Amino acid sequence: LMRSYPEQATTWLTRYMNEHPLTPADLPLAAQVHIHAGKFDDGADFVVHHHQNHQQQQQQADGQQKKQINNHFAATALNMLLAASVSSAFSLRLVKIINELGFRRESTHIKWLIRNLARDNRKDLAEEWIEEFKKEEYTLDPGLCSEMYKMYVHLGESDSARRWSKLLKSAEEAIGGTGRRVTTYSRSLQFEVLMNARAGELEQAYTLIEHAPRSLRWMLVDRTLPFCCIHANAHMANRLIKLSMDDRPNDVMLGCVLIANASQHHTEEAEKIFSQMERELPFIPPKYYHAMLRMYTTAEDLDNSDRWLKKLINDGIQPTVSEYNAILLIIKDKRDVECSEKLLREMLAQGVKPSTVTYGAVIAACAKAGSIENAERWVARMQAAGLNPRVRDINNVLAACAKNGNAAKAEVWYADMTSSGLEPNLYTYTELIKADLNDAKDGMGMAKAERWVDEILGKGMVPDLKLWSVVMTHFARKALPDVCEKIFEQMVKNTTSVPDSTVYNLLMLAYGRQALKAQTRTEAREARRKQRKWLGKMVAAGFEPTGSTFEIICAEPAKAGDWRKVENTRKKMFGGESGCVDKLTAKASLMLLQAHLIGGNYPGAEVVAKNMADDDKLEPKAIQLIKRHLPQNEALNILE
């Protein structure tokens, strides 16, 4: 059981202990169960606890020989744990336990400890224990020298690597081993492969491994794979693992390939490797589960993130608070309040303590959905949990107020924010201005918005383009271009940022809407003239017209069916042949199609529709437009 189903083996060990007194002779078997389950610290605690119980029971008993036998079984169990461990921290702890229990410290204990220190690149401690090894008059063997040599190669310390290479050669000569020439070749090849891998020359390292003797390939692949993770080269990791398939890859090798693929979001390869690990390994370390979940959360793949979160929980691995936070941040952008709240409740049920980021993500989801009540409720829960809301959390509540045009509540939250010592930022004022402008009940929206701008300037803050654009958008939609021009002047005067194409588009939108609302033709003509003037200023400022610019300029002629004017405007802005939609947005393409259909230019409409289909812009609205303006037979012909 412990080789194939380690968790079940642990259960049976507990059942055995409940039904039978545990004897000293059982300790080595118990140690093996913990090793296969990957619970080394628990195994050490288990052995020490039961050994001390046995010693207390034997204190009154006569006979030194029985105590020596008890010590032998406990020492054997601890030796098994030390030999199987790959953690230098655990090895240090176990050597300390062996000393405290008064067991004889053997040369193998120090060798295993130095091996793990070298593999973890803890060179200072490794050198200290080498000195301790020498003090006890133990002889340096080739295996120990090889581990030190490999550590310094991995660290890129050439001088130390050469020193240990010489010591390794001396150790080999001292024991008079056969095959010395092969060992020297192996060491030389390994040095060359690892130096190439460390420098990022993985292709060169692969070529060397590919042409190496088959007996050395597995070892070289094992040493090279970690560098594929460091250099984020999943393609090379996949190629290397195929070289070692003749000899079964170990958990570290498969793990390196999985992490390399996960870090580059090669989801199919990562899933295949994890499935292979499930089939071939008795125990998968939790870090590989976390790597799979992180791969999907960073890609903002909510479905697969949720699937792997459930897999972690089902396999008995505790998800971290940062993993829950990453999923909550994905949900936040989808504005799914119910899903956010459900995940937070699951998190609490798993015993994971939410952080400020956790609550902040749920508050943000509520804000994006425009739910003031839910956002306020979660701020209250956050405070009840002993966490203080951040500026961004209060800003999100203000954003919910702005969406609903609730200026009064926004001001209440702003007052609470300043009284609690939080410093408002530009985003805070942007949301306050939005709330005032969107408050339909209050006709003083602009006056209040100006008050916030004055407060920003009074604090020495520089308004950014986003803030000015928010104010301008409001008045552009209300067809008040004079106000927009004043805002533009204020923007140029009080900000270090240069107005972008969006700002110019808003000014043109304001004049376009004014033209539509004009009472006389003269007023409409004047508004369109000023609209063209701002288009000229936009081009002079170095900004190319965008799809949005086309939509604003051509909104009126498209509705009137003046397809010639619309086509001429498109050619001046973007070039291309008649009906071309390459540089147009889906909405602008629809406007061009509308102009041709209303104007009765059906052949032109057919060209536009074909180009929209080629560019994946033929949306349901366009199809409805074609069916509405054309006889059924002609509409079907175009749509075919």
Side-chain angles (χ1 to χ4, degrees):
L1 279 176
M2 68 187 175
R3 286 179 176 81
S4 302
Y5 306 100
E7 293 299 331
Q8 289 188 33
T10 307
T11 304
W12 277 97
L13 176 64
T14 307
R15 185 172 173 181
Y16 175 76
M17 288 166 56
N18 292 336
E19 295 178 6
H20 307 278
L22 199 72
T23 66
D26 296 322
L27 290 180
L29 179 64
Q32 288 183 66
V33 171
H34 283 90
I35 288 167
H36 283 280
K39 299 177 180 178
F40 288 88
D41 284 301
D42 291 347
D45 294 337
F46 182 95
V47 171
V48 171
H49 172 72
H50 286 283
H51 172 67
Q52 288 173 342
N53 285 347
H54 293 145
Q55 290 296 87
Q56 287 173 5
Q57 291 168 12
Q58 294 298 326
Q59 273 181 357
Q60 304 300 327
D62 206 10
Q64 185 68 21
Q65 186 178 1
K66 191 149 191 176
K67 290 181 182 178
Q68 288 176 353
I69 292 171
N70 290 352
N71 287 349
H72 166 74
F73 285 122
T76 302
L78 292 175
N79 288 353
M80 286 178 170
L81 287 163
L82 185 57
S85 168
V86 293
S87 165
S88 58
F90 176 74
S91 300
L92 284 165
R93 181 191 169 209
L94 213 53
V95 168
K96 185 179 178 183
I97 289 171
I98 289 169
N99 291 338
E100 288 173 353
L101 292 176
F103 296 162
R104 180 169 173 262
R105 192 171 72 189
E106 299 174 5
S107 63
T108 51
H109 295 156
I110 301 179
K111 282 183 188 178
W112 290 330
L113 172 59
I114 293 170
R115 175 199 66 188
N116 289 338
L117 288 168
R119 288 180 180 178
D120 286 349
N121 297 326
R122 300 176 71 175
K123 62 178 182 179
D124 295 334
L125 275 173
E127 290 285 3
E128 284 179 24
W129 279 97
I130 286 288
E131 293 303 316
E132 187 75 19
F133 190 79
K134 290 177 181 175
K135 279 181 190 175
E136 299 194 16
E137 299 183 355
Y138 295 132
T139 305
L140 289 174
D141 63 21
L144 199 57
C145 294
S146 177
E147 291 294 345
M148 294 296 290
Y149 163 76
K150 284 185 278 189
M151 175 185 71
Y152 282 115
V153 169
H154 188 270
L155 292 171
E157 298 185 14
S158 304
D159 293 340
S160 298
R162 288 191 186 92
R163 175 168 63 89
W164 279 100
S165 177
K166 290 175 184 176
L167 289 171
L168 174 57
K169 189 175 181 181
S170 301
E172 288 171 351
E173 289 172 353
I175 61 172
T178 58
R180 192 180 305 151
R181 192 173 297 166
V182 173
T183 307
T184 305
Y185 166 73
S186 166
R187 188 169 67 250
S188 173
L189 179 61
Q190 185 181 351
F191 182 86
E192 193 173 352
V193 168
L194 291 185
M195 290 309 282
N196 275 294
R198 189 176 187 279
E201 300 291 339
L202 292 169
E203 191 65 47
Q204 184 65 26
Y206 177 85
T207 304
L208 290 167
I209 296 170
E210 190 178 26
H211 293 94
R214 184 178 166 183
S215 58
L216 297 176
R217 277 187 196 171
W218 191 94
M219 178 267 292
L220 292 171
V221 170
D222 183 39
R223 296 294 177 192
T224 308
L225 277 171
F227 292 101
C228 294
C229 296
I230 293 168
H231 297 294
N233 193 331
H235 176 66
M236 184 56 69
N238 295 330
R239 289 172 66 193
L240 282 168
I241 201 71
K242 286 174 184 175
L243 286 179
S244 67
M245 284 302 182
D246 293 338
D247 302 304
R248 195 174 178 182
N250 61 21
D251 60 332
V252 176
M253 293 166 73
L254 290 172
C256 285
V257 180
L258 185 143
I259 289 171
N261 280 285
S263 65
Q264 291 189 273
H265 299 98
H266 294 173
T267 54
E268 288 187 19
E269 288 296 332
E271 291 276 5
K272 283 179 188 175
I273 294 294
F274 195 91
S275 298
Q276 186 179 349
M277 293 172 85
E278 286 183 310
R279 290 193 306 271
E280 297 180 5
L281 302 180
F283 170 76
I284 301 176
K287 66 179 179 181
Y288 301 128
Y289 282 87
H290 295 305
M292 292 297 293
L293 179 53
R294 187 166 57 252
M295 173 178 69
Y296 286 116
T297 54
T298 52
E300 298 187 359
D301 184 339
L302 182 57
D303 292 337
N304 280 309
S305 296
D306 188 53
R307 175 169 64 87
W308 273 95
L309 181 69
K310 287 174 181 173
K311 185 170 178 62
L312 258 74
I313 294 167
N314 293 339
D315 289 1
I317 295 166
Q318 180 79 288
T320 64
V321 66
S322 60
E323 288 169 338
Y324 277 108
N325 290 347
I327 298 173
L328 282 167
L329 289 170
I330 300 170
I331 298 170
K332 172 200 76 172
D333 293 330
K334 296 184 180 295
R335 308 181 182 191
D336 193 336
V337 178
E338 187 179 342
C339 189
S340 292
E341 292 181 343
K342 182 183 174 185
L343 186 62
L344 185 47
R345 285 193 291 271
E346 287 177 8
M347 182 180 179
L348 292 166
Q350 287 295 320
V352 180
K353 188 177 178 182
S355 67
T356 309
V357 177
T358 313
Y359 285 105
V362 180
I363 293 164
C366 298
K368 282 182 177 286
S371 176
I372 302 173
E373 294 77 11
N374 283 328
E376 290 178 325
R377 178 162 54 86
W378 281 105
V379 170
R381 288 192 182 182
M382 184 181 188
Q383 291 169 327
L387 299 171
N388 294 321
R390 303 160 299 173
V391 172
R392 68 172 63 182
D393 300 323
I394 305 300
N395 286 349
N396 280 323
V397 179
L398 292 174
C401 296
K403 273 181 180 285
N404 291 277
N406 196 332
K409 185 156 280 189
E411 290 205 27
V412 171
W413 275 99
Y414 175 73
D416 287 346
M417 178 185 190
T418 51
S419 62
S420 64
L422 293 174
E423 191 65 35
N425 56 24
L426 282 174
Y427 187 86
T428 311
Y429 289 110
T430 303
E431 296 305 326
L432 286 165
I433 290 170
K434 277 187 189 177
D436 282 327
L437 294 174
N438 293 338
D439 194 344
K441 301 173 189 175
D442 193 347
M444 299 295 291
M446 183 54 193
K448 287 186 176 180
E450 287 178 351
R451 185 194 67 178
W452 292 123
V453 173
D454 291 339
E455 187 170 326
I456 292 169
L457 298 173
K459 287 187 174 182
M461 300 167 74
V462 180
D464 59 1
L465 280 176
K466 183 180 178 183
L467 187 146
W468 291 117
S469 297
V470 164
V471 181
M472 193 180 282
T473 301
H474 177 77
F475 292 104
R477 286 174 179 168
K478 290 198 170 186
L480 295 170
D482 294 338
V483 179
C484 290
E485 287 202 10
K486 287 179 183 177
I487 293 168
F488 183 84
E489 290 170 9
Q490 192 79 354
M491 186 189 305
V492 174
K493 180 181 174 184
N494 293 308
T495 183
T496 55
S497 302
V498 178
D500 61 2
S501 59
T502 304
V503 173
Y504 288 99
N505 282 338
L506 287 171
L507 282 156
M508 285 184 274
L509 175 66
Y511 278 110
R513 294 208 170 186
Q514 188 185 55
L516 291 172
K517 287 187 175 183
Q519 299 295 320
T520 65
R521 288 185 179 181
T522 305
E523 289 176 357
R525 251 193 320 268
E526 181 61 19
R528 283 194 288 272
R529 186 187 67 78
K530 289 184 177 179
Q531 188 184 54
R532 289 193 296 274
K533 181 190 79 172
W534 279 103
L535 175 59
K537 285 187 177 183
M538 176 182 174
V539 174
F543 296 108
E544 291 291 329
T546 63
S548 299
T549 313
F550 178 80
E551 292 169 30
I552 293 163
I553 298 291
C554 295
E556 187 184 353
K559 284 181 182 177
D562 191 348
W563 60 270
R564 290 182 181 85
K565 189 171 184 178
V566 173
E567 276 290 357
N568 287 335
T569 305
R570 185 198 58 74
K571 285 179 183 177
K572 285 178 184 177
M573 286 186 179
F574 309 113
E577 295 188 7
S578 183
C580 180
V581 296
D582 286 350
K583 296 183 181 179
L584 298 184
T585 60
K587 187 177 177 182
S589 301
L590 185 65
M591 194 177 286
L592 180 63
L593 178 65
Q594 181 187 28
H596 283 282
L597 288 169
I598 294 174
N601 183 20
Y602 301 141
E606 185 173 355
V607 172
V608 175
K610 183 180 182 302
N611 289 333
M612 287 174 74
D614 290 343
D615 280 12
D616 292 328
K617 294 174 183 173
L618 196 66
E619 298 177 348
K621 282 185 180 179
I623 294 170
Q624 289 169 11
L625 201 64
I626 292 168
K627 288 181 177 178
R628 186 163 68 245
H629 287 89
L630 289 177
Q632 186 176 4
N633 292 338
E634 289 186 37
L636 289 173
N637 287 337
I638 287 180
L639 293 174
E640 280 180 12

